[in-house]
C-alpha cells in the first residue's frame, strides 16, 4: 500500500486530503510510523523521531495510529490477494508476496500485467486507497519492482533484463544491506550492485562473513530462489512500551511489567498459542538494553504464571537510574498448555490471597482500613487521542483534532462528506463519546443477492467484479513472468 497509515487517515478525513499527514507516537520519544507523500516533501520519513518531524513539517497534521482501522483494510486487501493465488505471504499489514504461478492463471508478461492492473483497480474499489504492484520472477525482484512502482503504479521486470536493471542501483537496494553494511561496502569501494557482482564471492565473504557474503553475491546476480510461504511459524509473542519520561519508581516499574505481561498473554491467547520461555526487556536511561529470560517446565498461557516469571526476572535488574522502555515476551511457542502450571499458579494465588486477607484484630469493624479513603479517588480525565473517532449526540461523527487544558477540539466529517466544521467541547462533555472508525468506502445496503463490497470472506469476490463490460479482459487469469534468475518460480508483490 502507498503510505498506508497516512493514506487511510486522508481517506477517512476529507479535510486532510492533499495535505501533509504524519502518523505515529506523539510523545517526546515518539517515532513516525508513516508520512504521507505531501509530508515527505519536507523530509519526513518513517522511523524518524517525531520531534525531528515536527521541526521539518510544523504545519502537518500529527495523528495517533488507529490500528483497528488499518487491520480491517489490510484484511480486505489480503482477501483480494488470496483470490489470485492460494500462496500469499504477508510481510506486514500493507505488504505481501503472491505466488501467481500457484494459481495457474498466467502464461506471459501481458497476462501478468492484466492481473496486476486488475488488482490495483480492485484495491481502489474495495478500500478507496491506492496500491503499487511489482511483478517479477523472484521475491527480491518483485519487492524492488513494487518500490519503483510507488506511488500508485505497476512495474514488471521482464525476464532477461534483471542484471541490467540491478547493475546501476545502490547496494542499499538489496535486502539485508542496511546503513552499517552499506558503509562497510562503501569503504571497500563498492557502492553499486554491479560493483558488488564484480567484487566476487570470495571478496564479499572476506568483507561480510560467509553467510552474508554468499547471500549478497547471489542477489547481485539476481538469484533468489526463496519460495512464497503462505504460513509462517510464529516464533515469539511480545509487547513493549517506550515512556515519555524515564520511570524511577521501582513500584511503578513493577506495575508496568505486570501490565505488559497481561497484554502479552492476551495476544498469546488470541493467537491460540502458549509458551515456555518468558523474556523481560529493559532499556535504561543510558540506552543500555538488558534482556533476561526464564524457561518454565512446560508451555503456558496463564497470566499469573507469566506475570510472576516477569516479576522474578525484574528482581535481577537494576533500575535505579531510570527506565525508558519495558517489554515482556513469550517464546518457545506451542499450541497446547501444561496443566500442572495452571494448578501451580492457582495454588500460589490462593496462598497469597489468604496471607493478604485482613483479620478482625487487624481491622476492627468500627475502624476503617488504612487507605480506604484513597479508594474514593476522583475519576481520571477522559483521554482523547488526536485523530481518533468520536460521536456527538447533536453533531454526529467526527474526529479529534487536539485536546488539552480540559478542552477537546473535534472536526465533524465522515469519509463520504465534504470537509466539516470544527467545534470545541469540555473533555468531560457527556454528549461526546469515543466511536468506531467508519468504512473508507460507503457500503450499499445489503440485499438478498449481494453482500457489501470488501466485507467478510466474500471481500475478494466483491472487489473483483466490474460493472464495465469493457473491463472484462482484465479478468483473464494471470501469473508471474518466468525468469532464469528465479529458480524457485516467480513471485508478485503488492504494496497497497
Amino acid at each position: 500500500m502507498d503510505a498506508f497509515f497516512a493514506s487511510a487517515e486522508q481517506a477517512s478525513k476529507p479535510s486532510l486530503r492533499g495535505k501533509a499527514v504524519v502518523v505515529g507516537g506523539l510523545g517526546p520519544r515518539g517515532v513516525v510510523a508513516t508520512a504521507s507523500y505531501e509530508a515527505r516533501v519536507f523530509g519526513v520519513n518513517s522511523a524518524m523521531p517525531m520531534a525531528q518531524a515536527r521541526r521539518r513539517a510544523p504545519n502537518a497534521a500529527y495523528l495517533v495510529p488507529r490500528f483497528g482501522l488499518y487491520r480491517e483494510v489490510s484484511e480486505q486487501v489480503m482477501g483480494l490477494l488470496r483470490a489470485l493465488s492460494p500462496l500469499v505471504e504477508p510481510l506486514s499489514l500493507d505488504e505481501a508476496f503472491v505466488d501467481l504461478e500457484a494459481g495457474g492463471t498466467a502464461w506471459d508478461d501481458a497476462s501478468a500485467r492484466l492481473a496486476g492492473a486488475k488488482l490495483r483497480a480492485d484495491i481502489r474499489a474495495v478500500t478507496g486507497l491506492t496500491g503499487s504492484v511489482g511483478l517479477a520472477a523472484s521475491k527480491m525482484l518483485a519487492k524492488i519492482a513494487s518500490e519503483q512502482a510507488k506511488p500508485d503504479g505497476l512495474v514488471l521486470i521482464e525476464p532477461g533484463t534483471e542484471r541490467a536493471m540491478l547493475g546501476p542501483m545502490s547496494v542499499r537496494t538489496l535486502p539485508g544491506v542496511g546503513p552499517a553494511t552499506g558503509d562497510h561496502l562503501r569503504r571497500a569501494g563498492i557502492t553499486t550492485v554491479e560493483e558488488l557482482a564484480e567484487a566476487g564471492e570470495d571478496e564479499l565473504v572476506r568483507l561480510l562473513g560467509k553467510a552474508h557474503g554468499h547471500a549478497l553475491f547471489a542477489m547481485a546476480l539476481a538469484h533468489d530462489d526463496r519460495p512464497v510461504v503462505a504460513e509462517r511459524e510464529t516464533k515469539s509473542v511480545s509487547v513493549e512500551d517506550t515512556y515519555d519520561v524515564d520511570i524511577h519508581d521501582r513500584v511503578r516499574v513493577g506495575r508496568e511489567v505486570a501490565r505488559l505481561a497481561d497484554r502479552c498473554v492476551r495476544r498469546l491467547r488470541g493467537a491460540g498459542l502458549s509458551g515456555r520461555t518468558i523474556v523481560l526487556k529493559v532499556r535504561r536511561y543510558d540506552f543500555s538494553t538488558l534482556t533476561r529470560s526464564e524457561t518454565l517446565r512446560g508451555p503456558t498461557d496463564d497470566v499469573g504464571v507469566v506475570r510472576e516469571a516477569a516479576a522474578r526476572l525484574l528482581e535481577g535488574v537494576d533500575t535505579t537510574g531510570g527506565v525508558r522502555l519495558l517489554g515482556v515476551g513469550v517464546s518457545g511457542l506451542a499450541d497446547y498448555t501444561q496443566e500442572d502450571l495452571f494448578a501451580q499458579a492457582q495454588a500460589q494465588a490462593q496462598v497469597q490471597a489468604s496471607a493478604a486477607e485482613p483479620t478482625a484484630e487487624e481491622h476492627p469493624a468500627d475502624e476503617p482500613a488504612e487507605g480506604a479513603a484513597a479508594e474514593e479517588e476522583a475519576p481520571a480525565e477522559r483521554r482523547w487521542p488526536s485523530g481518533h473517532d468520536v460521536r456527538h449526540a447533536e453533531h454526529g461523527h467526527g474526529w479529534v483534532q487536539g485536546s488539552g487544558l480540559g478542552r477537546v477540539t473535534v472536526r465533524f466529517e465522515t469519509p463520504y462528506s465534504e470537509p466539516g466544521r470544527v467545534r470545541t467541547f469540555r473533555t468531560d462533555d457527556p454528549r461526546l463519546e469515543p466511536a468506531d472508525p467508519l468504512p473508507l468506502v460507503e457500503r450499499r445496503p445489503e440485499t438478498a443477492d449481494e453482500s457489501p463490497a470488501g466485507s467478510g470472506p466474500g471481500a475478494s469476490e466483491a472487489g473483483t467484479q466490474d460493472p464495465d463490460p469493457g473491463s472484462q479482459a482484465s479478468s483473464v487469469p494471470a501469473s508471474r513472468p518466468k525468469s532464469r534468475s528465479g529458480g524457485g518460480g516467480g513471485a508478485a508483490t503488492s504494496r497497497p
Side-chain angles (χ1 to χ4, degrees):
M1 302 296 289
D2 299 326
F4 182 35
F5 295 174
S7 295
E9 297 298 342
Q10 290 176 318
S12 178
K13 303 171 173 63
S15 58
L16 297 184
R17 293 170 189 169
K19 298 182 179 179
V21 174
V22 180
V23 180
L26 302 189
R29 293 173 177 169
V31 175
V32 175
T34 307
S36 69
Y37 287 99
E38 294 84 357
R40 296 181 190 185
V41 172
F42 299 98
V44 179
N45 296 297
S46 300
M48 175 182 290
M50 190 61 74
Q52 183 179 358
R54 288 185 182 275
R55 290 193 295 270
R56 294 190 177 188
N59 297 321
Y62 290 87
L63 308 176
V64 177
R66 296 186 294 164
F67 289 107
L69 171 65
Y70 309 149
R71 278 191 289 268
E72 180 181 347
V73 175
S74 175
E75 289 171 0
Q76 293 174 331
V77 175
M78 295 302 168
L80 294 174
L81 300 182
R82 293 187 182 96
L84 296 175
S85 170
L87 292 183
V88 176
E89 181 181 338
L91 300 182
S92 62
L93 286 176
D94 68 334
E95 184 176 11
F97 289 115
V98 184
D99 188 335
L100 297 176
E101 188 177 50
T105 54
W107 52 92
D108 57 14
D109 293 354
S111 59
R113 284 186 182 275
L114 285 175
K118 184 175 186 303
L119 175 61
R120 291 176 54 223
D122 290 343
I123 289 173
R124 183 184 288 273
V126 172
T127 69
L129 305 179
T130 62
S132 297
V133 176
L135 297 163
S138 67
K139 292 167 68 171
M140 177 193 74
L141 294 170
K143 167 79 170 174
I144 293 172
S146 71
E147 293 295 335
Q148 290 183 328
K150 287 181 171 294
D152 192 22
L154 183 150
V155 169
L156 183 147
I157 300 177
E158 297 181 358
T161 66
E162 298 92 346
R163 290 285 302 276
M165 182 271 299
L166 284 176
M169 291 185 174
S170 167
V171 293
R172 292 288 304 276
T173 304
L174 300 179
V177 182
T181 302
D183 288 343
H184 191 51
L185 291 171
R186 179 181 54 79
R187 288 193 294 270
I190 300 172
T191 58
T192 67
V193 176
E194 183 178 8
E195 293 171 344
L196 198 66
E198 291 174 350
E201 189 170 14
D202 292 341
E203 176 65 9
L204 295 180
V205 169
R206 186 187 69 81
L207 289 171
L208 306 173
K210 187 174 182 180
H212 204 182
H214 286 314
L216 274 187
F217 183 70
M219 287 189 286
L221 299 179
H223 294 165
D224 179 19
D225 58 0
R226 295 172 300 160
V228 175
V229 181
E231 294 185 5
R232 289 184 174 182
E233 182 181 358
T234 303
K235 297 184 181 298
S236 65
V237 175
S238 63
V239 297
E240 62 181 42
D241 278 345
T242 300
Y243 304 98
D244 293 341
V245 179
D246 290 350
I247 303 176
H248 294 83
D249 183 1
R250 182 77 178 190
V251 174
R252 186 187 167 194
V253 171
R255 287 200 302 265
E256 290 295 317
V257 168
R259 183 180 60 82
L260 290 168
D262 293 349
R263 284 174 52 194
C264 182
V265 170
R266 285 198 299 270
R267 184 174 294 183
L268 193 70
R269 289 179 173 177
L273 298 170
S274 61
R276 62 192 304 263
T277 300
I278 314 303
V279 181
L280 175 70
K281 178 180 177 181
V282 179
R283 180 165 297 154
R284 298 188 291 192
Y285 69 98
D286 58 356
F287 286 90
S288 62
T289 302
L290 304 177
T291 303
R292 300 289 184 267
S293 63
E294 175 181 320
T295 300
L296 308 173
R297 289 177 295 171
T300 183
D301 65 353
D302 185 271
V303 66
V305 173
V306 176
R307 187 186 295 177
E308 291 166 11
R312 287 193 297 271
L313 294 171
L314 180 62
E315 291 174 0
V317 178
D318 180 13
T319 62
T320 53
V323 171
R324 61 183 292 119
L325 177 147
L326 289 169
V328 174
V330 178
S331 60
L333 302 181
D335 56 1
Y336 66 94
T337 58
Q338 192 79 22
E339 296 298 335
D340 63 340
L341 289 177
F342 290 159
Q344 174 187 349
Q346 292 173 354
Q348 291 177 349
Q350 291 174 357
V351 170
Q352 293 173 356
S354 299
E357 186 176 352
T359 62
E361 290 78 13
E362 291 174 325
H363 294 297
D366 57 346
E367 294 184 13
E370 183 179 355
E375 297 179 359
E376 300 179 2
E377 298 179 354
E381 183 178 358
R382 300 167 74 186
R383 295 182 66 253
W384 301 101
S386 180
H388 281 219
D389 298 83
V390 295
R391 177 168 291 279
H392 191 273
E394 178 182 350
H395 302 290
H397 192 93
W399 58 278
V400 176
Q401 279 201 325
S403 64
L405 301 177
R407 297 288 187 272
V408 55
T409 300
V410 178
R411 183 181 288 274
F412 291 98
E413 60 186 7
T414 71
Y416 338 117
S417 71
E418 297 295 324
R421 301 187 63 179
V422 175
R423 298 182 182 274
T424 300
F425 309 91
R426 293 176 58 90
T427 55
D428 59 355
D429 191 325
R431 299 173 297 172
L432 191 66
E433 296 290 341
D436 293 330
L438 297 175
L440 300 184
V441 176
E442 192 168 13
R443 293 170 178 166
R444 294 174 299 173
E446 187 172 357
T447 66
D449 297 329
E450 65 178 3
S451 59
S455 63
S460 59
E461 296 177 4
T464 58
Q465 294 175 352
D466 193 330
D468 182 5
S471 66
Q472 291 179 357
S474 65
S475 63
V476 176
S479 100
R480 304 164 299 177
K482 297 286 187 178
S483 169
R484 287 171 291 183
S485 66
T493 183
S494 168
R495 297 197 64 183

